[in-house]
Amino acid sequence: MSEKFYVTTPIYYVNDVPHLGTAYTTIAADAFARQRGLRGRMTRFLTGTDEHGLKIDRSATERGMTPKAFVDEVSAKFREAWPKLHCEPDDFIRTTDARHIAAVQRLWTRCVDAGDIYKGDHEGWYCVACEQFYLEKDLVDAKVCPTHKREVEWMKEPTYFFRLSKYQDRLLALYAARPEFVLPEGRRNEVLSFVREGLRDLSVSRTSFAWGVPVPGDPAHVMYVWFDALTNYLSAVEGTENEGFWPPDLQLVGKDILRFHTIYWPAFLMSAGFADEQLPRSVFAHGFLTINGQKMGKSLRNTVEPLRLAERFGADEVRYFLLREIALGQDGDFSHRKLIARTRSELAATVGNLLHRAMPFATKYLDERVPAVDEAHVGERERALRAKCETLAADAGRAWDSFEPHRALECAIQVAIETNGYFDARAPWTIAKDPARLSELGTVIYHVFESLRICSVLLWPALPTKCDALRAQLGLSPLQPAVDQDQWPGAWGQLLAGTAVSPGAPLFRNITREDEQELLKEFVVESVETVAVSKTEAPTEASPQPVTEGLANIAFADFEKVDLRLGQVRSAEKIPKKDKLLKLTVDLGEESGPRTIIAGIAMAYAPEQLVGKQLVVVANLAPRDFGKGLISHGMLLACGPSESLSMVTLEKPMPVGTRVK
Ligand code: MSP
């Protein structure tokens, strides 16, 4: 059988819609599938949705829907989102699929047959958001989940346990024998030390709710959502014509769920009788994204809603940015400015421009064809360019093999940079002036076209549509992975002379400074009326704006007219239909009690983040009427664009009502 490549993403919880974090994993998986496909591997790319469990059940209830109707609706959003980001999964599995439910029940039964599932009682602190029990020592402030920073709940129920402890030694042996099982390396140490500390048996069923896969022979129990969910990777292929893809070659997961995938998951499989070589080959944990340096809380999400980004910036451009900007195993930051900067400098000004510079010579002097190379004109520069491109293509291939797409793409761009340099040095505009040098001109343009062809392959995993458009202009067909056919650029000179080229529109949009301001305004700077933010445009990286620009000096007496007080937020809530506003009660130590303040900070802060915070309040501002009975009795000080505002606070706590001066 041909060499296969089975890549998976986590299946996403349907209590959320696709966001940049889930898009990131999916894009990375898609890019790996494409790249391995170009190398001739038979690929299979699986994604899907995780639809059972208490968290989903509660989300459905909150929406006034049955769980089934709710999961159908949200799962469809995931399925429809990925193609819009040019992701092409071969299969989309749902944990509510009959094929999956049957497979999980089979796996369960195999674990029972191995004597690894037994009945007992389970009680402890449970985080519904994680769907996980916590030991008291791992909680924050005694009762708060360390991941979600929300209160855990005490739960007691009869449960089936999985004998996880039994697999501790075999897991350690697995990590030792197969270091690539947990990647990147730093993460492996984390998993190792966790397992070495000792594994406790795992509660794998629940009786307190019914939205899950029934335990075979004991339908009062539904399976623990992670036992259910992890099995998806198996249920998508087991007993089907795709069974030969088992085991997964690459399981991409966020670092938050690495333990589930590198401890529980292989242990379940071991229990079910899978030999070590039948276990997944590599679980790779990628880092977490922040947005303009901030944690990607729900309030920030809408400015990086992936489909909106794709519409305005281009799906390929967003894919490229994420893969190029962030080293896969590390945390990274998304910013619209950086997205624009990379699109502009690396894609438009380097790759797009190279095509744009070379094509007119083919149109004007070379009969709209790929010219032939005249060996008489192949000199040092040509030889150097060829060697450079071959080396960079090989380096890019190796970078993909070692899970470093950012380096692979850097190599691809370097091909275009080198070729732009070659183009400048060879100055075809001078050669073209002399009709006697036509074959020399052809030789130079051939070198540029061939190197663009190489770029079109190297960049294709990240930019499939743009690369196919580039290829179309070079007279080449779209790339299509073919089993056993390695299409990765090897030896120089694959482009055939005589091929008709087909000049077309610029590959990448030219984002002017005006466009940039527009885009940033749309995505980053939204005017906030009730907080004192700078009303200047968002500063670009190159030109930070002085904060005080345009403001005249005032007398100290004028400043003293502003009554700034320290207030403490007692409560905070969202206001229906007002996305940007929060209603706060803020204690200024006044006899009349806390004041109501309406603040335009909802894009940057969730209400619960504010309660208890000490903030600076303009206390003597005339009340402002927001309509519908909403009157604000003061203003909070804050700084920054609306979706990443930072509130002005004090360095150490002070009594409420203290004057700020
Ligand atoms: N349903 C489980 C996974 C079960 S797999 C058998 C789950 N789902 S999730 O919807 O919460 O999505 C988790 C994945 O989304 C993370 O592992 C990670 O891949 C991705 N991300 C979510 N937020 C993220 C960031 N802020 N940054 C990067 N990726 C993040 O966990």
Side-chain angles (χ1 to χ4, degrees):
M1 177 176 154
S2 313
E3 210 188 341
K4 56 106 188 160
F5 179 72
Y6 179 24
V7 58
T8 66
T9 73
I11 47 171
Y12 304 115
Y13 284 132
V14 288
N15 65 332
D16 206 340
V17 289
H19 57 72
L20 200 67
T22 45
Y24 178 54
T25 326
T26 314
I27 288 170
D30 182 78
F32 274 106
R34 287 176 186 274
Q35 196 274 339
R36 299 298 198 264
L38 286 181
R39 306 252 38 186
R41 307 258 301 253
M42 188 157 61
T43 64
R44 190 148 191 90
F45 165 23
L46 175 72
T47 189
T49 43
D50 188 353
E51 306 183 7
H52 289 131
L54 189 51
K55 178 161 53 176
I56 308 297
D57 197 15
R58 286 190 182 168
S59 297
T61 312
E62 275 164 26
R63 294 267 307 270
M65 295 171 87
T66 63
K68 182 71 174 85
F70 173 71
V71 299
D72 283 349
E73 185 183 303
V74 187
S75 178
K77 287 193 180 140
F78 279 92
R79 188 194 289 266
E80 287 156 17
W82 303 139
K84 293 180 185 151
L85 294 167
H86 302 162
C87 295
E88 291 176 359
D90 297 292
D91 194 358
F92 187 97
I93 189 146
R94 303 179 53 186
T95 52
T96 50
D97 285 347
R99 59 175 173 157
H100 172 75
I101 292 171
V104 185
Q105 291 183 326
R106 274 199 304 273
L107 187 78
W108 178 280
T109 306
R110 288 167 74 172
C111 295
V112 170
D113 292 346
D116 287 339
I117 290 183
Y118 63 95
K119 208 166 181 180
D121 265 324
H122 190 268
E123 58 185 325
W125 295 110
Y126 193 77
C127 171
V128 175
C130 302
E131 299 280 13
Q132 192 183 353
F133 276 101
Y134 275 96
L135 294 175
E136 192 126 7
K137 73 171 175 63
D138 296 326
L139 298 174
V140 183
D141 294 339
K143 268 187 137 186
V144 175
C145 157
T147 307
H148 291 91
K149 310 280 181 281
R150 50 188 275 179
E151 278 209 0
V152 291
E153 299 171 30
W154 186 259
M155 289 224 197
K156 177 175 175 170
E157 50 180 337
T159 189
Y160 286 95
F161 283 98
F162 173 76
R163 253 181 245 288
L164 186 61
S165 54
K166 175 174 157 189
Y167 291 95
Q168 177 164 341
D169 292 342
R170 194 167 151 200
L171 285 169
L172 289 172
L174 173 73
Y175 309 141
R178 301 228 324 250
E180 74 289 356
F181 180 75
V182 188
L183 292 171
E185 196 177 336
R187 298 274 165 211
R188 186 182 329 127
N189 300 332
E190 192 182 299
V191 174
L192 265 178
S193 56
F194 186 85
V195 176
R196 279 196 192 121
E197 264 182 38
L199 295 176
R200 297 154 56 104
D201 289 352
L202 183 70
S203 159
V204 284
S205 76
R206 302 278 179 267
T207 51
S208 51
F209 60 93
W211 183 240
V213 179
V215 165
D218 194 351
H221 288 250
V222 292
M223 288 181 204
Y224 173 43
V225 65
W226 277 99
F227 189 95
D228 167 359
L230 286 162
T231 310
N232 87 87
Y233 309 120
L234 178 65
S235 42
V237 294
E238 193 186 47
T240 74
E241 59 187 16
N242 295 307
E243 189 143 32
F245 281 100
W246 184 264
D249 295 274
L250 175 61
Q251 303 216 264
L252 279 172
V253 299
K255 62 180 183 181
D256 52 332
I257 54 173
L258 183 66
R259 284 184 197 171
F260 296 102
H261 283 82
T262 52
I263 302 173
Y264 297 178
W265 174 223
F268 296 154
L269 292 171
M270 287 170 178
S271 166
F274 285 75
D276 280 7
E277 57 280 9
Q278 283 302 307
L279 300 175
R281 304 244 189 269
S282 291
V283 178
F284 190 104
H286 65 70
F288 257 50
L289 299 179
T290 49
I291 298 165
N292 298 318
Q294 303 229 3
K295 216 174 150 218
M296 202 170 82
K298 282 201 177 167
S299 51
L300 277 184
R301 295 256 191 91
N302 45 353
T303 59
V304 287
E305 199 272 292
L307 301 188
R308 208 176 131 210
L309 284 180
E311 252 168 47
R312 298 291 277 129
F313 294 89
D316 275 14
E317 286 85 342
V318 173
R319 292 168 60 102
Y320 174 78
F321 175 77
L322 291 171
L323 295 168
R324 170 77 183 90
E325 173 78 14
I326 304 158
L328 193 62
Q330 287 164 24
D331 291 342
D333 187 48
F334 176 90
S335 103
H336 302 84
R337 271 186 206 99
K338 285 191 276 186
L339 168 60
I340 292 172
R342 278 209 191 271
T343 304
R344 192 187 265 147
S345 67
E346 295 177 359
L347 298 180
T350 304
V351 180
N353 200 36
L354 184 58
L355 178 67
H356 188 65
R357 296 170 87 192
M359 191 55 90
F361 291 96
T363 325
K364 240 173 143 179
Y365 306 103
L366 301 165
D367 199 19
E368 294 209 6
R369 291 186 183 277
V370 173
V373 169
D374 180 347
E375 286 301 325
H377 294 294
V378 173
E380 232 4 85
R381 288 207 175 94
E382 282 70 25
R383 277 191 286 277
L385 181 69
R386 292 173 181 189
K388 198 81 204 166
C389 289
E390 287 176 1
T391 310
L392 286 166
D395 288 349
R398 275 192 292 273
W400 279 108
D401 289 345
S402 54
F403 310 103
E404 297 176 293
H406 72 294
R407 286 218 315 103
L409 296 174
E410 187 184 354
C411 293
I413 295 300
Q414 197 57 37
V415 167
I417 292 173
E418 296 286 343
T419 313
N420 272 300
Y422 165 81
F423 191 85
D424 292 338
R426 287 299 254 129
W429 51 91
T430 310
I431 305 174
K433 283 187 192 142
D434 182 355
R437 296 175 73 186
L438 192 62
S439 71
E440 187 181 350
L441 178 69
T443 303
V444 172
I445 298 305
Y446 180 89
H447 279 75
V448 176
F449 282 175
E450 167 66 353
S451 112
L452 279 166
R453 183 197 68 81
I454 292 172
C455 274
S456 79
V457 187
L458 300 187
L459 288 171
W460 191 78
L463 296 144
T465 311
K466 294 294 181 182
C467 288
D468 284 343
L470 166 58
R471 295 173 65 81
Q473 296 208 26
L474 296 174
L476 296 167
S477 51
L479 279 170
Q480 187 69 54
V483 176
D484 289 336
Q485 201 183 314
D486 188 356
Q487 300 179 63
W488 203 250
W492 174 272
Q494 302 303 306
L495 192 60
L496 287 183
T499 310
V501 296
S502 157
L507 285 181
F508 299 99
R509 169 177 165 200
N510 170 29
I511 305 176
T512 63
R513 294 288 157 194
E514 291 75 47
D515 294 342
E516 177 171 1
Q517 290 307 332
E518 272 307 303
L519 285 165
L520 291 180
K521 228 187 272 172
E522 183 182 329
F523 282 89
V524 184
V525 184
E526 279 151 332
S527 71
V528 183
E529 291 171 327
T530 53
V531 284
V533 294
S534 154
K535 285 268 160 52
T536 53
E537 298 281 33
T540 61
E541 263 143 359
S543 58
Q545 299 267 344
V547 182
T548 55
E549 194 178 70
L551 292 179
N553 288 343
I554 56 166
F556 185 66
D558 286 331
F559 172 68
E560 280 214 299
K561 289 182 198 159
V562 185
D563 187 12
L564 297 175
R565 299 271 169 184
L566 185 65
Q568 186 154 28
V569 181
R570 297 289 175 219
S571 70
E573 60 183 277
K574 292 193 167 160
I575 304 176
K577 297 197 188 140
K578 301 271 185 202
D579 287 345
K580 295 180 189 160
L581 301 181
L582 289 184
K583 182 177 170 189
L584 312 172
T585 50
V586 183
D587 190 354
L588 299 180
E590 296 163 307
E591 272 184 11
S592 49
R595 299 180 179 205
T596 298
I597 294 181
I598 312 294
I601 54 177
M603 315 278 281
Y605 287 89
E608 59 273 16
Q609 285 176 285
L610 293 164
V611 177
K613 260 201 177 21
Q614 291 204 325
L615 302 172
V616 178
V617 179
V618 184
N620 61 338
L621 200 67
R624 179 163 173 196
D625 191 346
F626 283 82
K628 305 221 159 90
L630 292 171
I631 297 176
S632 186
H633 299 274
M635 183 174 92
L636 302 174
L637 295 191
C639 168
S642 57
E643 83 298 339
S644 56
L645 275 180
S646 176
M647 306 300 297
V648 175
T649 58
L650 293 195
E651 204 231 316
K652 50 178 180 268
M654 288 279 163
V656 289
T658 309
R659 181 103 195 254
V660 180
K661 48 190 181 165

